[in-house]
Amino acid sequence: MKIIEIIRHTMRDSGQKSISEEGKKLAEAAGRNTVRFDRVITSTVTRAIETAQAMGYEPDLTLELLSKLKPGVEDEVYWDSSFLEYSEAFRKKGAVYEFGIQLAELVREQADSLADGQNLLIVTHGGIVQIMAVACLPDADHSEWGGPCSYCEGIHFEYDDCRFASVLLVRNA
């Protein structure tokens, strides 16, 4: 079994690229309150990379795919929408679906490359967290997952026998 955690980056000061002191403290706490990760992937955006670093990890890989929503996604759902709203958009098989399939494939490829017992952390952005979670677990009851992810929030699940399962939400409150 492998653990996969997908979280939104921490906070930054308005107009700044780097995370704020408050954001650094939040990310440090997030790093202490979770499993140990063997592989870390982030978007190419500074705040995602610095979130991983504040959590105690150097990214193994940075990907543009994790850096921004694909064109057409925000025509279907606002970036800061709930998991349920992303699920509803995903089922329409438009831009959210297409982007979600790409993201789920990335997660699956990365998880499959890990040895049993190893864990994966992905640090990305609001909206992308929800799309990845819905695409990896399309049959889950997303109405129970609540609103959008705030800073250092996301989803934590198990990956076993090429299946995503056992979902836990990562929340700060």
Side-chain angles (χ1 to χ4, degrees):
M1 179 188 64
K2 304 160 188 179
I3 300 294
I4 301 169
E5 195 163 290
I6 303 166
I7 65 164
R8 182 179 173 197
H9 62 81
T10 195
M11 67 211 53
R12 62 189 166 127
D13 290 324
S14 181
Q16 301 298 310
K17 290 184 178 187
S18 292
I19 62 174
S20 65
E21 276 305 309
E22 184 181 4
K24 183 177 179 185
K25 289 176 185 169
L26 180 62
E28 288 170 346
R32 288 190 300 271
N33 294 325
T34 192
V35 299
R36 196 79 197 136
F37 295 102
D38 302 287
R39 181 170 300 148
V40 177
I41 301 171
T42 71
S43 85
T44 58
V45 179
T46 302
R47 62 187 174 270
I49 295 166
E50 289 179 351
T51 297
Q53 291 169 333
M55 290 177 72
Y57 302 98
E58 280 301 320
D60 298 297
L61 183 63
T62 60
L63 296 173
E64 187 65 34
L65 180 67
L66 300 174
S67 300
K68 61 184 174 183
L69 294 170
K70 291 280 187 176
V73 168
E74 286 199 274
D75 294 335
E76 296 176 8
V77 64
Y78 181 65
W79 76 269
D80 202 19
S81 293
S82 70
F83 287 99
L84 180 59
E85 290 166 306
Y86 272 98
S87 177
E88 290 167 349
F90 183 81
R91 285 196 296 271
K92 293 178 183 174
K93 298 200 174 188
V96 170
Y97 177 83
E98 290 174 15
F99 190 33
I101 295 301
Q102 280 185 287
L103 293 168
E105 184 177 304
L106 167 71
V107 175
R108 192 177 310 284
E109 286 173 1
Q110 291 297 318
D112 286 342
S113 72
L114 294 172
D116 194 42
Q118 289 188 317
N119 304 315
L120 170 66
L121 172 65
I122 298 175
V123 182
T124 186
H125 304 271
I128 296 174
V129 173
Q130 291 96 302
I131 294 172
M132 290 176 92
V134 166
C136 288
L137 296 153
D139 298 325
D141 183 357
H142 302 109
S143 66
E144 296 181 354
W145 293 9
C149 298
S150 187
Y151 301 111
C152 291
E153 291 186 344
I155 190 164
H156 173 109
F157 52 92
E158 295 174 358
Y159 185 79
D160 198 19
D161 293 328
C162 299
R163 291 183 319 111
F164 299 106
S166 193
V167 178
L168 294 171
L169 294 174
V170 176
R171 298 290 190 184
N172 293 323

